[in-house]
Amino acid sequence: MPTTWVSQISSKRNGPKAAARCAAFHQISLASVYAPVERQERISFFQGSLLSALPAGTPLALGRDWNCVANDQDLIGGQPGTRQHGFQQGLLPFQQALGLEDAFRHLHPHASEFTHTATSGSSSARIDRWLVTDSLLPVVSAAAVSDIKPSDHYGVSLAISPAVAPPRGPGVWAMPPSIITHAAFKTIMAAQIQAFMLACPVSPTAGRAVRWDQLKVHIQDVARNYCSTFHADRTKQLRALRVRAGEMSIPFRQAAVKDARRT
């Protein structure tokens, strides 16, 4: 099973300057990076603040908003070079020092995607991406731009499929508290409890304590079945929405490409 991480972009700044938040998982250090919007701050951020915030000695997977692109392949519309400020003297040396590669570009060398459109509407660029240590590239199984747009940016995802993955157990199931507010769940559960109480009365061989233990197991089974059905229905709806969103975005992408060709 691949491990998938999704970086969703927040439209709010994380303080007066950009931020990098790190976490380590199974000898891979993850960081959510938000590079400065101001062009003049990017070089010092990449070469100073970000380098000092990252842990040493483990492979890195850094994702989120870099606020610049490597070249015009990641730019649709606008003037050439407009989104590259801070890359050549800031982000590129940072990548070279740590041995980082663009996971999306590694898997899709000729693809043209974008994650953010300028407020003026004049250009779109793939300023959000995952940079990973080059030693991780053989186990990167997917890197993509999400169809979901949580803010003014599209999310970007990364999937890593190690050759030897640690064994996973079944885990302990826990009922999501939110389903208690579902009218359908409350109706089903009330009917199931009533039916159980009628079908399993207290008897000399099955006292109240025994019946209570049996009822708890029954409640858990009902909740699991409801969650499974609800999740399947919601997944189906989300897939339909993603397909619809992709279809609706085609004219806008085509228009952006035409505008780029005109310029």
Side-chain angles (χ1 to χ4, degrees):
M1 291 291 292
T3 299
T4 302
W5 293 299
V6 178
S7 177
Q8 293 186 338
I9 310 306
S10 170
S11 60
K12 296 182 179 179
R13 299 291 303 279
N14 293 325
K17 293 196 175 182
R21 292 175 294 178
C22 304
F25 297 96
H26 300 296
Q27 298 182 350
I28 297 178
S29 294
L30 304 178
S32 176
V33 180
Y34 188 10
V37 174
E38 292 77 9
R39 299 176 180 178
Q40 67 274 14
E41 295 182 7
R42 292 176 195 159
I43 294 177
S44 61
F45 171 73
F46 293 133
Q47 296 298 311
S49 304
L50 184 55
L51 273 174
S52 62
L54 295 175
T58 60
L60 299 172
L62 315 179
R64 210 181 172 190
D65 183 357
W66 299 94
N67 260 315
C68 61
V69 298
N71 50 54
D72 290 337
Q73 186 178 2
D74 290 321
L75 179 67
I76 300 176
Q79 296 298 318
T82 54
R83 294 291 191 101
Q84 296 181 32
H85 298 284
F87 179 80
Q88 289 295 334
Q89 297 180 345
L91 183 54
L92 180 58
F94 168 81
Q95 289 183 218
Q96 293 172 336
L98 296 177
L100 297 172
E101 297 288 343
D102 181 345
F104 177 87
R105 188 57 63 212
H106 173 73
L107 295 178
H108 312 285
H110 306 296
S112 178
E113 286 279 4
F114 66 90
T115 61
H116 178 261
T117 298
T119 53
S120 63
S122 59
S123 66
S124 299
R126 191 173 64 89
I127 60 176
D128 309 289
R129 52 196 181 274
W130 282 94
L131 301 180
V132 302
T133 304
D134 52 13
S135 62
L136 290 178
L137 290 177
V139 296
V140 172
S141 55
V145 177
S146 172
D147 293 330
I148 300 176
K149 190 177 183 182
S151 64
D152 59 335
H153 293 241
Y154 286 95
V156 288
S157 62
L158 175 74
I160 293 180
S161 304
V164 181
R168 293 188 178 185
V172 178
W173 184 84
M175 186 183 76
S178 60
I179 68 171
I180 297 176
T181 63
H182 296 192
F185 174 74
K186 290 188 286 187
T187 299
I188 292 171
M189 185 59 73
Q192 287 289 330
I193 291 176
Q194 185 176 12
F196 178 88
M197 299 295 284
L198 292 174
C200 304
V202 175
S203 67
T205 57
R208 293 182 181 276
V210 173
R211 187 173 69 161
W212 172 236
D213 289 337
Q214 293 173 343
L215 178 58
K216 287 188 289 185
V217 172
H218 184 63
I219 288 173
Q220 186 179 72
D221 289 341
V222 173
R224 282 192 183 202
N225 290 335
Y226 177 85
C227 288
S228 178
T229 302
F230 178 79
H231 177 72
D233 291 342
R234 187 172 183 182
T235 300
K236 184 177 180 181
Q237 293 171 2
L238 286 174
R239 285 175 179 169
L241 286 173
R242 288 173 182 170
V243 171
R244 179 61 177 158
E247 293 172 348
M248 293 179 67
S249 69
I250 290 175
F252 298 97
R253 293 174 182 249
Q254 292 175 339
V257 171
K258 290 180 180 178
D259 290 342
R261 289 174 179 172
R262 291 195 195 102
T263 57

